[in-house]
Amino acid sequence: RQQSLAMQLLKLVLNCLNFDFIGNSADESADDLCTVQIPTNWRTIFLEPETLDLFFDLYHSLPPMLSQLALSCLVQFASTRRSLFSNPERAKYLGNLIKGVKQILENPQGLSDPGNYHEFCRFLARLKTNYQLGELVMVKDYPEVIQLIANFTITSLQHWEFAPNSVHYLLTLWQRMVASVPFVKTAEPHLLDTYAPEITKAYITSRLECVPVVIRDGLEDPLDDTATVFQQLEQLCTVSRCEYEKTCTLLVQLFDQNAQNYQKLLHSSSRNPLEITVQEGRLAWLVYFVGTFVGGRLTYTSTDEHDAMDGELSCRVFQLISLMDAQLPQSSNEKVELAILWFLDQFRKTYVGDQLQHTSKVYARMSEVLGITDDNHVLETFMTKIVTNLKYRGRCEPVISRTLQFLNDLSVGYPFYCVWHNILFENKKVKINVRLSFKHFPFLGISDNYSLSDLRCRTVFYTALTRLLMVDLGEDEDEFENFMLPLTVSFESVTQIFNSGFEQEEAKRMLIGLARDLRGIAFALNTKTSYTMLFDWIYPAYISVLQRAIELWYREPACTTPILKLMAEFMQNRSQRLNFDVSSPNGILLFREASKMICTYGNQILSLGTLSKDQVYPLKLKGISICYSALKSALCGNYVSFGVFKLYGDNHFDNVLQAFVKMLLSVSHSDLLQYRKLSQSYYPLLECLTQDHMSFITSLEPRVLIYILTSISEGLTAVDTIVSSSCCASLDYIVTYLFKHLAKEGKKRLRCREISQDGQRLLHFMQQNPEVLQQMMSILMNTIIFEDCRNQWSVSRPLLGLILLNEKYFSELRATLIASQPDNKHEVLDQCFRNLMEGVEQNLLVKNRDR
């Protein structure tokens, strides 16, 4: 019973200390709440040294389940806001914390419990989060404690399989300590130059030692959790730069040793696959370390000696690249290849480009060993590696995907354009025919050996390739046609297959690949001239093939999704690329094709009937969300005058709006908000419709209007600010339209009769259903008053219109809200409402809204 009482008391204390006293945290359970805003009237309790001593004593005396709670409380004690104490008081408080740390580390038996161990690691990290290094070194026991913490960290890193999630906090402590070294003003030694290299060494050696254990025992490989690996490497990067010479010497020694062992195994007559795999795992870790340390170069603290050491390390990775590629196509290791790509990307960010002086010492050693004298030669090496991966590793999706992302990153921005263009299209060392096909790179193939998901890589590939082509393409239509020749041949083949008794599977795979290729090309063409060349190439012949595919294979999202995404990309007026010449009908022609495709897909997809919960998104909702995204881009693109459709009797605009309604009514309100991509395409589209096409909104049947207004009402409280902001904007446009209609009605102008008929329908509907706007006003007022409103400006926009249209209900709501509060707050809230409406006039002018 005593233990149960102790547990409840510790939980009570912990909940008090975890409380968000000033309301600045959206999630009180998040570990980001690193400063506890203790109330000032608790100050005396915190100043008493017996308070901390009590919790340290509880940790030492209680069993693990309870001692863990005591440590959790100490984590929050260490996070107490600095302003609670004066400088002498803060130093004394910190001294007591450090004394407790020393006691725990001198008697570490309790840390064998994973819960205690984790909380203690959090406790150590919070010490540096809330106290400066200059304050820590002034503590009496600092030298002994920093040595104990270093030994504890080294032991923890060596036992990598025990509580791996806690390592983050230990590395956070050392990262922040080392990062603070340049700012320490005291004469007291911080001793980090002694211990930081030991921490780096322990991390490196422990990761190398874990490889054979993981492989032989079939354990979970830490390298598979790339998010955690990259996070820890980023932290280690800062620590490694303290006494960088020691780190580089260790890494060079380990790299040479493991590379030599690897070569011996490769040339051995009895090649042991297990030993080779172990050695490749170690090399993967070493390459990650080199990439991390090279990427950690800071311009303002780096020296020529550090750059020379980076060159020494980089040489070894470039030599390893040659060794690994020499084994192709017989063997390849995915982990090593991913590590190499990580290194190349880090080297690019640090040592390639205008931000670096070309006299950098990093190239001195690389010039001697590899003949790489500057970043142009490095880019050529990059290109060779990229081509090798694309050619020989087409079946390894992670490597291909990362390689293409690397190529894509390189294709963005100067000076890569010119250098890469020369390498791609002129350099004889790397012969790449622009007319690329699966003969060059297998991942571009359409054979049954590749799954349809493998074709996703093609979009990124063609985006990068098109960027490089556009460097000096200009208005050269012949060069563009030459570049598009492989796609032309493929489209002609598909057309022939369609016109004969065709093999569906082959045509389908070809079209999926073509749609992904074209989307990549379209994404890279951001000028009017280049986009026009692409439009002239695809319209009208090839776009009709895409329309036919949507008709035939609407049941297969693997086919429809790439085609719909391609159309959505075509509709994007990025950088005003769709602003065709005044004599060109291309904008209207493009919209007509999009309208046909959306209508075809919408009508066909509705014929599927009721779908199961696990099928409704992939088979239906995903396609609908892409259609809505494409339609929104068209409506907001400002390249189509929609009024001409009705003027000339063209029904494409009306048809696509009706398709929008049909698809919308087939979706439940819960699905609209549950599926993020659907909500992020529907609500912005609705905002466009209410802004520019209210005549369409007012013409809808009452049941459709109810559906749309209900969706707005539910979206007002959505967590996603894109959704809630679009709902507020849509509501504002509807309310403003109503208010303006009422104002015009009062003036009885004959020339407004046509407009009044549209407005009259909406006004009549609102009079029949007054609760719709009243409910939304109530939601907005409750959000503003009682909730953490993250988009307050958006919420405020429709509020004035709602109040002016429902003044009687606003008075009732105001009285209800005031009455719901404690008596001592009635006057305060009433005054807030009076301030809100003070000076407000009966209009929706901007000046009146902003009062």
Side-chain angles (χ1 to χ4, degrees):
R1 290 180 63 183
Q2 285 184 337
Q3 285 192 5
S4 176
L5 177 61
M7 177 183 288
Q8 297 305 322
L9 288 171
L10 284 169
K11 285 183 177 179
L12 176 62
V13 173
L14 183 59
N15 287 335
C16 291
L17 293 172
N18 277 328
F19 185 73
D20 184 14
F21 289 98
I22 62 173
N24 65 345
S25 174
D27 181 7
E28 293 178 19
S29 65
D31 202 46
D32 299 333
L33 191 64
C34 290
T35 301
V36 181
Q37 302 292 336
I38 298 296
T40 305
N41 55 1
W42 293 11
R43 184 170 176 274
T44 53
I45 301 173
F46 280 72
L47 287 176
E48 295 172 1
E50 292 79 12
T51 303
L52 285 178
D53 292 343
L54 170 64
F55 284 89
F56 280 115
D57 291 342
L58 286 170
Y59 162 74
H60 289 292
S61 58
L62 292 174
M65 185 183 297
L66 301 181
S67 59
Q68 178 182 335
L69 286 172
L71 274 176
S72 298
C73 292
L74 285 167
V75 170
Q76 297 304 97
F77 276 113
S79 308
T80 303
R81 63 184 173 97
R82 295 173 58 83
S83 56
L84 190 67
F85 310 107
S86 65
N87 287 343
E89 290 168 346
R90 191 183 308 115
K92 184 178 178 181
Y93 187 77
L94 176 59
N96 289 331
L97 288 170
I98 295 296
K99 183 181 73 173
V101 171
K102 183 180 177 185
Q103 290 172 354
I104 292 175
L105 290 173
E106 287 175 341
N107 302 278
Q109 297 84 357
L111 297 177
S112 59
D113 176 73
N116 282 345
Y117 172 81
H118 183 75
E119 290 303 317
F120 184 66
C121 291
R122 289 183 64 222
F123 179 43
L124 292 177
R126 289 291 180 91
L127 284 176
K128 180 57 193 77
T129 302
N130 290 280
Y131 294 94
Q132 299 169 5
L133 181 58
E135 294 173 316
L136 289 168
V137 299
M138 297 300 293
V139 175
K140 177 184 174 183
D141 295 329
Y142 175 78
E144 294 87 350
V145 171
I146 196 68
Q147 182 180 8
L148 288 168
I149 293 175
N151 293 335
F152 172 72
T153 305
I154 291 168
T155 304
S156 299
L157 293 174
Q158 290 169 344
H159 295 83
W160 54 270
E161 72 284 1
F162 180 77
N165 293 332
S166 306
V167 172
H168 162 75
Y169 296 104
L170 293 175
L171 290 177
T172 297
L173 168 69
W174 288 99
Q175 177 192 26
R176 289 174 172 168
M177 296 264 279
V178 172
S180 303
V181 168
F183 310 104
V184 176
K185 306 299 182 186
T186 61
E188 299 293 327
H190 52 68
L191 303 177
L192 294 179
D193 48 358
T194 302
Y195 298 116
E198 294 300 317
I199 303 302
T200 305
K201 180 180 178 180
Y203 188 91
I204 293 173
T205 54
S206 67
R207 270 36 190 181
L208 297 183
E209 289 165 2
C210 84
V211 174
V213 180
V214 166
I215 291 173
R216 286 168 186 153
D217 297 348
L219 302 178
E220 187 176 343
D221 191 344
L223 272 180
D224 292 337
D225 185 4
T226 53
T228 300
V229 170
F230 290 156
Q231 183 186 54
Q232 292 182 0
L233 288 177
E234 183 181 351
Q235 294 171 313
L236 187 70
C237 168
T238 305
V239 182
S240 70
R241 284 278 164 176
C242 184
E243 297 295 311
Y244 192 50
E245 297 83 356
K246 295 179 182 179
T247 300
C248 288
T249 302
L250 171 68
L251 210 51
V252 165
Q253 176 189 342
L254 290 171
F255 208 110
D256 288 345
Q257 177 186 332
N258 284 276
Q260 288 168 11
N261 291 341
Y262 183 57
Q263 285 180 299
K264 288 178 184 177
L265 287 170
L266 290 178
H267 297 130
S268 172
S269 55
S270 57
R271 289 168 60 111
N272 186 331
L274 184 65
E275 288 298 324
I276 290 176
T277 304
V278 168
Q279 212 57 48
E280 287 174 340
R282 285 175 171 154
L283 286 170
W285 273 111
L286 288 167
V287 173
Y288 273 122
F289 290 138
V290 174
T292 299
F293 299 156
V294 168
R297 178 186 187 273
L298 298 174
T299 306
Y300 60 88
T301 58
S302 188
T303 63
D304 286 346
E305 290 75 17
H306 286 185
D307 288 357
M309 285 183 267
D310 284 350
E312 197 74 45
L313 292 171
S314 300
C315 277
R316 283 155 174 78
V317 181
F318 282 115
Q319 287 173 319
L320 179 64
I321 291 173
S322 301
L323 177 63
M324 298 299 295
D325 289 349
Q327 300 176 59
L328 293 170
Q330 285 77 20
S331 65
S332 175
N333 185 284
E334 178 183 320
K335 289 184 172 64
V336 177
E337 291 304 325
L338 292 173
I340 287 172
L341 288 166
W342 160 263
F343 161 77
L344 294 178
D345 196 41
Q346 296 301 307
F347 190 92
R348 171 188 70 84
K349 293 175 182 176
T350 308
Y351 286 113
V352 179
D354 287 346
Q355 73 274 17
L356 183 77
Q357 295 295 324
H358 292 285
T359 57
S360 170
K361 295 292 183 182
V362 75
Y363 290 110
R365 181 63 177 155
M366 291 172 64
S367 177
E368 294 173 18
V369 179
L370 306 170
I372 296 176
T373 57
D374 56 22
D375 51 2
N376 284 359
H377 285 165
V378 171
L379 286 171
E380 192 171 316
T381 306
F382 287 175
M383 190 66 234
T384 306
K385 180 59 182 169
I386 289 170
V387 172
T388 302
N389 282 1
L390 297 182
K391 190 171 183 180
Y392 293 108
R393 296 185 174 90
R395 298 307 305 274
C396 185
E397 196 276 334
V399 173
I400 287 294
S401 179
R402 187 67 196 90
T403 301
L404 290 173
Q405 189 56 54
F406 181 52
L407 173 62
N408 190 52
D409 294 342
L410 282 166
S411 69
V412 179
Y414 191 85
F416 303 113
Y417 274 151
C418 302
V419 176
W420 279 83
H421 182 267
N422 292 338
I423 293 170
L424 264 173
F425 300 115
E426 297 171 17
N427 197 317
K428 294 181 181 179
K429 289 185 180 180
V430 187
K431 291 183 179 179
I432 301 182
N433 192 332
V434 178
R435 301 182 183 90
L436 292 160
S437 70
F438 66 92
K439 295 177 182 177
H440 300 85
F441 300 145
F443 79 96
L444 294 176
I446 58 167
S447 68
D448 294 336
N449 295 329
Y450 291 85
S451 68
L452 294 177
S453 63
D454 291 339
L455 304 179
R456 293 174 183 173
C457 299
R458 299 169 62 141
T459 303
V460 180
F461 175 72
Y462 271 94
T463 296
L465 204 63
T466 306
R467 282 201 191 105
L468 301 175
L469 171 77
M470 297 311 298
V471 174
D472 60 355
L473 175 64
E475 300 179 8
D476 191 339
E477 295 184 12
D478 292 336
E479 184 69 23
F480 183 78
E481 290 287 340
N482 190 34
F483 176 71
M484 298 296 288
L485 190 57
L487 281 75
T488 304
V489 172
S490 297
F491 258 118
E492 293 295 337
S493 300
V494 173
T495 304
Q496 290 177 9
I497 294 173
F498 271 9
N499 292 335
S500 59
F502 65 92
E503 173 59 45
Q504 285 203 18
E505 196 59 34
E506 181 185 357
K508 191 189 307 176
R509 294 181 75 89
M510 288 182 71
L511 267 177
I512 292 170
L514 283 168
R516 294 192 184 282
D517 298 346
L518 280 171
R519 182 169 159 234
I521 292 171
F523 184 80
L525 299 179
N526 290 323
T527 65
K528 184 171 77 170
T529 302
S530 60
Y531 182 90
T532 302
M533 286 192 288
L534 178 62
F535 181 83
D536 291 340
W537 177 85
I538 198 172
Y539 183 86
Y542 300 147
I543 208 162
S544 62
V545 176
L546 300 176
Q547 301 278 15
R548 179 84 187 280
I550 292 290
E551 290 178 25
L552 290 171
W553 297 311
Y554 65 92
R555 293 174 177 268
E556 302 183 44
C559 183
T560 57
T561 297
I563 295 174
L564 291 172
K565 283 186 174 181
L566 170 62
M567 183 56 73
E569 177 57 40
F570 267 118
M571 307 304 289
Q572 288 272 0
N573 191 17
R574 196 166 43 252
S575 303
Q576 304 300 306
R577 62 181 185 173
L578 270 72
N579 287 3
F580 298 107
D581 295 335
V582 292
S583 59
S584 170
N586 285 353
I588 291 175
L589 295 175
L590 176 61
F591 180 80
R592 283 161 57 107
E593 294 300 327
S595 171
K596 288 179 194 174
M597 186 172 290
I598 292 171
C599 291
T600 301
Y601 179 79
N603 291 330
Q604 297 279 50
I605 209 69
L606 294 179
S607 67
L608 293 178
T610 305
L611 298 169
S612 63
K613 187 71 175 175
D614 59 328
Q615 288 184 314
V616 69
Y617 182 75
L619 289 182
K620 176 181 172 183
L621 300 183
K622 186 173 183 179
I624 290 176
S625 71
I626 300 170
C627 289
Y628 283 0
S629 180
L631 183 55
K632 185 256 180 186
S633 297
L635 294 179
C636 301
N638 201 30
Y639 55 89
V640 180
S641 177
F642 294 101
V644 301
F645 288 96
K646 184 176 181 181
L647 188 63
Y648 291 103
D650 190 321
N651 60 2
H652 282 88
F653 183 50
D654 289 338
N655 289 347
V656 78
L657 292 180
Q658 292 306 316
F660 155 75
V661 172
K662 289 178 184 176
M663 288 189 284
L664 180 61
L665 294 177
S666 72
V667 181
S668 67
H669 282 117
S670 59
D671 285 346
L672 271 182
L673 289 169
Q674 181 179 350
Y675 296 99
R676 185 167 172 265
K677 288 185 178 179
L678 178 60
S679 59
Q680 289 191 347
S681 59
Y682 163 68
Y683 284 103
L685 169 58
L686 185 60
E687 181 182 346
C688 289
L689 288 169
T690 53
Q691 181 179 12
D692 299 321
H693 303 281
M694 275 302 297
S695 58
F696 162 70
I697 298 292
T698 59
S699 68
L700 294 171
E701 296 177 15
R703 67 185 182 93
V704 181
L705 266 177
I706 285 287
Y707 184 98
I708 289 176
L709 290 170
T710 304
S711 73
I712 292 175
S713 179
E714 293 182 355
L716 288 173
T717 55
V719 176
D720 191 334
T721 52
I722 294 176
V723 172
S724 57
S725 297
S726 290
C727 287
C728 291
S730 300
L731 179 58
D732 183 35
Y733 292 131
I734 293 172
V735 168
T736 302
Y737 181 87
L738 266 175
F739 188 85
K740 288 182 176 179
H741 167 72
L742 285 171
K744 289 176 181 177
E745 281 291 300
K747 296 178 182 178
K748 300 290 185 184
R749 291 182 179 175
L750 292 175
R751 62 190 181 89
C752 293
R753 187 177 301 159
E754 184 89 26
I755 301 174
S756 295
Q757 289 177 357
D758 287 339
Q760 197 64 36
R761 281 195 297 270
L762 185 60
L763 180 61
H764 179 70
F765 171 83
M766 290 302 181
Q767 289 170 342
Q768 295 293 318
N769 303 274
E771 72 283 354
V772 175
L773 291 183
Q774 291 174 1
Q775 181 186 8
M776 286 194 263
M777 187 199 298
S778 176
I779 290 171
L780 291 178
M781 291 303 300
N782 278 280
T783 300
I784 293 170
I785 296 173
F786 301 117
E787 295 182 20
D788 181 18
C789 186
R790 287 170 292 172
N791 51 342
Q792 199 158 3
W793 188 88
S794 298
V795 170
S796 70
R797 293 298 89 187
L799 196 56
L800 178 59
L802 287 170
I803 291 173
L804 295 181
L805 286 172
N806 297 273
E807 291 187 81
K808 181 181 177 182
Y809 178 76
F810 175 66
S811 299
E812 295 172 359
L813 178 63
R814 169 180 169 171
T816 303
L817 290 170
I818 292 173
S820 69
Q821 296 303 296
D823 292 342
N824 60 345
K825 292 187 177 180
H826 285 185
E827 183 59 34
V828 176
L829 191 55
D830 186 55
Q831 184 60 46
C832 289
F833 274 109
R834 286 198 297 270
N835 294 341
L836 176 69
M837 300 306 296
E838 185 178 355
V840 172
E841 301 172 1
Q842 291 287 321
N843 63 65
L844 293 180
L845 299 177
V846 175
K847 182 180 178 181
N848 199 36
R849 287 175 184 265
D850 292 339
R851 284 188 185 277

